[in-house]
Amino acid sequence: MSTTTEVIEVNICGMDCADCAAHVQHALAALPGVEHATVLLSAERAVIRGDPALVTLPALRAAIEAAGYSVPDPKVAGELGSVSGTGATLTRQVFTIFGLIFGAVVLIVVVGEWLGLLEAVTEVVPFWLGASLVLVAGWPVFANVVRAAWRRQIIAHTLMTAGVVAALAVGQWATAAVVVFFMRIGDYVEHLTAEQARRAVRKLNELAPQMALVEREDGEYQVPVAEVRPGETVIVRPGGQIPVDGMVVSGQALINQAAITGESMPVEVGPGVQVYAATIAQLGSLRVKALHIGANSTFGQVIRMVEEAEANRAHVQRLADRFATWFLPVVLGLALLTLLVRRDPLATAAVLVVACSCSFALATPVAMLASIGNAARRGLLIKGGRYIELLARADVLLVDKTGTLTMGRPTLTHIVPCHPEWNENDLLTLAATAERYSEHPLAEAVREAARERNLPLAAPDNFSVVPGVGIKATINGQEVMIGSARTLVGEQTLTPEVVRREAEGGSLLYVTVDGECIGVLVATDTERPDVTRALTTLRHMGLHEIVMLTGDREATAAALAEQLGIAYRAQLLPEDKLALVRMYQAQGHTVIMVGDGINDAPALAQADIGIAMGVTGIDIAIATAPITLMRDDWALLPELLALSRRTMGIVRGNLGFTVAYNLVGLSLAALGFLPPIVAAAAQSLPDLGIMANSARLLHKDSAHSVHTAVQDEYRPHPGPQSAHR
């Protein structure tokens, strides 16, 4: 037997509810050689890991078809995947169904029950004819129930089918016909609800590039993206979509990266700059060397992550799933008790018909998938409902400093001459000339400051690096050294401003000419825009414990922490950050860790919610971080927290409505106050209510409106923020 395993993905048609996905998953997991099977309802796909010698596509197809579903032809699957409804279409469908159900209830209850129409029809039409109509109309549903029973499974329609049988047993074929009518309406509602959940994924798929203009030896060819090979040159014309992840070879363009980062402001790119699939060249044209294509591109990874987010279920969703598994047996027991105590077959049928188990399974995933899909279009990538649930109750925020709170690159902030013959511009010109060939980040900060002042730079006569000290250069016959305090020879008198800047935690570059210190350059890692406002907003949202973690020295950390009004821990190694996360968790806190996705990998993995910020194109960050912010925008963090809380509010509303409906419906049915026909009509209401409630998260401006609401609700009060350690 083979010891290797492979992953096989199969598209599936016909799944309309969580029960459907569970049945397919059960059928696939039972196959010989299958180690693990996951069925994704929203993506209409199964992911199977197992022994390739035993787990073959024909075997998988046979198992899926035996479960009552089908495997589409790849071409057909592609066509189906490109279809999605607009928000307006969805709204019209919801109102159409509500109108249809309301009209049917009024017509049947008023005309049928109160005026005795159903009894009259039952007396006129022969029973055998009425029963035949019931069987023909309900055959698709009955067939699914029989197949499930053959596999020893109870599905949602099993109860309603038992109700139909009970009505037929007492000669009420008209009542049975009404139940079948609403069973078919319920099927359509479930289908529409599943389609709503898939819209989030399909909207992302619609943004994926389909064709590419490739430059080859004998000309330019328009080919499907899948046919582009790594290393080939792709041509992007003005207004065109970039089809691959790659490096710009030539050309200049303004790129709209909203599909990746959610940021609508375009960025300018040129030779040597990396660009990403699904972004748009608004102005200019490019020649791009293809690096990652299709599913391997950053956008392809985004789509896959959103599709597979369904597998990371929230705790509340797992509870609802477990509840749904024993809910059906409980209803069967209640129906039996009703029959034994009241000896009323119609009341028993009403109990069987009114129960709605699918709504328990749908209450959480529909809202979660809507939220995850909408967030992805804003540059917020969430790997599952589990992290939305954890984020909604988080109470501790740990934040990496370098590259997260700060820009991650030094900026020259102060130029301090220490000699009366040198002014700021002369000192900066000399330093930038000496640092011309240095590759150190501080050297780049010096050169950038000189460029901003339009200072002329010459080439040094000699240049060398002095390990552990700095650099040494010869300029106009003078020896210039720039570096740490080790460059100072003998007793040097430093101005009070230099001493103060050193105490503030900046990085000091001492500039000496022939051994004499003529000035000091101060560089700091500046904070990111909107960090202060975002942290204040988060504090007002209930995250009172916000701590900066850094490996920097104490003075540097203290200066930034005081400026931001947060606590800090300095001089930490990666294992120290990991220990702090564990410490807070041991105290019962739910911990958010925000970092750059690479250096903080252990702490990000240990935290309840690890958030990698601004990691567009970094595969490891997308692969390991539960949540990824695709652009360096601190405003996304309060928005993410607010979206998680809003989503959990909708989930709780869905579950509360479902529980209330079933308690009231089952009670009224068991007591004989709810006729089977009204019970059948009411059975579709929970699904519709869940769909209408969750649809609020699907609106294209939902995430933006959440952010606006955050700013309004948690607007910080004026007054100083105190730092705490």
Side-chain angles (χ1 to χ4, degrees):
M1 183 176 177
S2 174
T3 58
T4 62
T5 61
E6 288 185 0
V7 175
I8 302 175
E9 297 186 2
V10 182
N11 292 321
I12 304 171
C13 282
M15 297 188 299
D16 289 329
C17 66
D19 274 348
C20 302
H23 294 154
V24 175
Q25 185 164 321
H26 179 77
L28 293 173
L31 288 175
V34 172
E35 290 186 4
H36 181 74
T38 301
V39 177
L40 306 173
L41 175 63
S42 61
E44 299 178 281
R45 192 175 78 241
V47 181
I48 305 100
R49 185 177 70 246
D51 185 349
L54 298 175
V55 183
T56 62
L57 187 57
L60 296 174
R61 181 189 295 270
I64 292 169
E65 292 176 349
Y69 307 93
S70 61
V71 178
D73 179 80
K75 184 179 293 186
V76 174
E79 293 172 355
L80 290 174
S82 64
V83 179
S84 70
T86 64
T89 302
L90 179 66
T91 303
R92 285 196 298 271
Q93 289 174 321
V94 170
F95 280 111
T96 299
I97 296 172
F98 267 120
L100 180 61
I101 291 177
F102 180 77
V105 170
V106 171
L107 178 65
I108 294 170
V109 173
V110 175
V111 179
E113 284 287 302
W114 292 358
L115 302 183
L117 179 60
L118 290 180
E119 293 182 5
V121 171
T122 303
E123 292 176 359
V124 172
V125 178
F127 177 79
W128 66 267
L129 180 59
S132 299
L133 291 174
V134 170
L135 291 174
V136 171
W139 176 248
V141 175
F142 299 152
N144 285 336
V145 171
V146 171
R147 281 195 293 266
W150 182 258
R151 297 190 300 271
R152 298 179 181 179
Q153 295 173 345
I154 298 176
I155 62 176
H157 284 322
T158 301
L159 298 180
M160 297 190 76
T161 301
V164 170
V165 173
L168 290 176
V170 295
Q172 296 289 331
W173 72 263
T175 298
V178 172
V179 173
V180 168
F181 168 74
F182 283 110
M183 286 170 72
R184 302 306 300 273
I185 289 290
D187 277 346
Y188 180 66
V189 170
E190 287 182 1
H191 173 73
L192 189 59
T193 306
E195 284 300 306
Q196 172 185 283
R198 293 178 184 128
R199 284 181 63 221
V201 176
R202 287 182 176 172
K203 278 187 173 292
L204 287 176
N205 276 296
E206 288 174 2
L207 297 175
Q210 304 298 321
M211 303 295 290
L213 183 61
V214 182
E215 183 179 275
R216 290 175 177 164
E217 292 182 358
D218 51 347
E220 299 175 359
Y221 295 91
Q222 192 85 15
V223 301
V225 169
E227 295 181 11
V228 179
R229 296 184 295 272
E232 287 191 315
T233 300
V234 173
I235 298 173
V236 182
R237 290 175 175 161
Q241 189 180 44
I242 298 175
V244 298
D245 283 5
M247 194 69 67
V248 176
V249 177
S250 63
Q252 298 281 338
L254 281 176
I255 303 297
N256 184 335
Q257 298 189 117
I260 297 294
T261 66
E263 177 58 61
S264 58
M265 291 297 293
V267 296
E268 187 171 352
V269 301
V273 176
Q274 187 169 3
V275 292
Y276 304 99
T279 58
I280 298 173
Q282 292 182 329
L283 294 173
S285 60
L286 300 169
R287 293 173 66 247
V288 178
K289 179 182 178 181
L291 299 177
H292 303 291
I293 300 156
N296 294 322
S297 67
T298 299
F299 190 71
Q301 293 180 63
V302 170
I303 292 177
R304 176 174 292 274
M305 194 188 75
V306 173
E307 289 178 342
E308 295 179 353
E310 185 180 349
N312 288 318
R313 298 187 169 192
H315 178 67
V316 67
Q317 184 175 346
R318 292 193 295 271
L319 287 177
D321 290 344
R322 285 198 294 269
F323 181 81
T325 59
W326 59 259
F327 177 73
L328 295 179
V330 167
V331 172
L332 286 173
L334 180 60
L336 180 60
L337 185 62
T338 301
L339 181 62
L340 293 175
V341 174
R342 302 193 73 251
R343 300 191 180 280
D344 184 351
L346 291 182
T348 302
V351 170
L352 294 170
V353 168
V354 78
C356 186
S357 64
C358 274
S359 56
F360 285 105
L362 290 171
T364 301
V366 170
M368 291 294 187
L369 290 171
S371 180
I372 289 169
N374 201 359
R377 296 197 300 274
R378 296 272 300 161
L380 300 162
L381 304 187
I382 307 170
K383 285 191 175 179
R386 170 190 174 191
Y387 305 108
I388 292 178
E389 184 180 26
L390 287 170
L391 193 61
R393 65 170 189 258
D395 57 351
V396 171
L397 174 63
L398 305 180
V399 190
D400 174 54
K401 172 185 170 287
T402 306
T404 304
L405 286 172
T406 64
M407 300 297 292
R409 57 179 183 272
T411 303
L412 206 64
T413 55
H414 298 89
I415 302 171
V416 186
C418 297
H419 194 284
E421 295 182 4
W422 291 85
N423 58 35
E424 288 190 5
N425 283 348
D426 291 341
L427 178 61
L428 182 58
T429 300
L430 179 71
T433 299
E435 295 273 22
R436 181 162 186 169
Y437 301 125
S438 174
E439 298 179 354
H440 195 281
L442 289 173
E444 176 58 31
V446 173
R447 293 192 295 267
E448 179 63 26
R451 285 192 291 267
E452 289 177 356
R453 297 193 181 198
N454 295 318
L455 299 178
L457 302 183
D461 298 326
N462 294 297
F463 172 84
S464 62
V465 175
V466 183
V469 178
I471 63 99
K472 180 168 63 176
T474 303
I475 302 174
N476 297 329
Q478 295 178 307
E479 183 183 81
V480 179
M481 291 192 69
I482 302 175
S484 66
R486 295 176 182 176
T487 60
L488 303 179
V489 179
E491 293 291 332
Q492 299 277 354
T493 302
L494 300 178
T495 65
E497 184 178 359
V498 172
V499 176
R500 179 165 58 87
R501 296 299 179 190
E502 185 174 22
E504 289 176 352
S507 298
L508 272 57
L509 294 175
Y510 295 87
V511 182
T512 66
V513 175
D514 293 332
E516 181 182 3
C517 180
I518 63 169
V520 175
L521 308 179
V522 183
T524 59
D525 191 0
T526 56
E527 71 174 76
R528 291 188 179 278
D530 293 330
V531 165
T532 302
R533 183 180 181 185
L535 291 176
T536 303
T537 302
L538 289 169
R539 191 178 294 111
H540 281 81
M541 294 176 74
L543 288 177
H544 299 297
E545 186 75 14
I546 303 177
V547 184
M548 178 182 73
L549 309 182
T550 179
D552 282 351
R553 56 198 176 97
E554 188 83 10
T556 303
L560 181 60
E562 182 178 4
Q563 182 179 342
L564 297 176
I566 60 176
Y568 72 91
R569 296 292 296 271
Q571 297 178 311
L572 299 178
L573 297 173
E575 53 266 32
D576 298 325
K577 297 180 182 180
L578 179 63
L580 279 171
V581 173
R582 289 174 173 167
M583 181 194 75
Y584 279 109
Q585 290 174 328
Q587 295 172 359
H589 296 287
T590 302
V591 180
I592 303 172
M593 174 69 197
V594 183
D596 60 13
I598 299 176
N599 298 332
D600 305 294
L604 285 171
Q606 177 65 37
D608 298 286
I609 312 103
I611 301 177
M613 176 174 285
V615 291
T616 306
I618 301 179
D619 295 343
I620 186 174
I622 295 177
T624 59
I627 298 178
T628 304
L629 308 186
M630 297 297 283
R631 65 178 187 268
D632 293 322
D633 185 355
W634 262 87
L636 289 177
L637 208 55
E639 183 176 330
L640 176 64
L641 187 61
L643 182 62
S644 69
R645 293 178 178 179
R646 183 183 183 193
T647 302
M648 291 309 299
I650 287 177
V651 167
R652 287 190 289 269
N654 288 346
L655 290 172
F657 175 68
T658 299
V659 170
Y661 161 83
N662 279 284
L663 285 176
V664 173
L666 289 171
S667 299
L668 292 176
L671 295 173
F673 296 118
L674 198 66
I677 55 174
V678 179
Q683 205 266 352
S684 299
L685 295 179
D687 287 351
L688 286 168
I690 287 170
M691 181 171 62
N693 193 34
S694 301
R696 294 186 294 152
L697 292 168
L698 276 172
H699 194 274
K700 67 180 181 179
D701 294 325
S702 176
H704 179 70
S705 65
V706 166
H707 176 63
T708 303
V710 167
Q711 298 305 315
D712 293 339
E713 183 175 354
Y714 301 104
R715 190 177 302 280
H717 302 290
Q721 300 292 331
S722 60
H724 54 284
R725 290 185 59 181

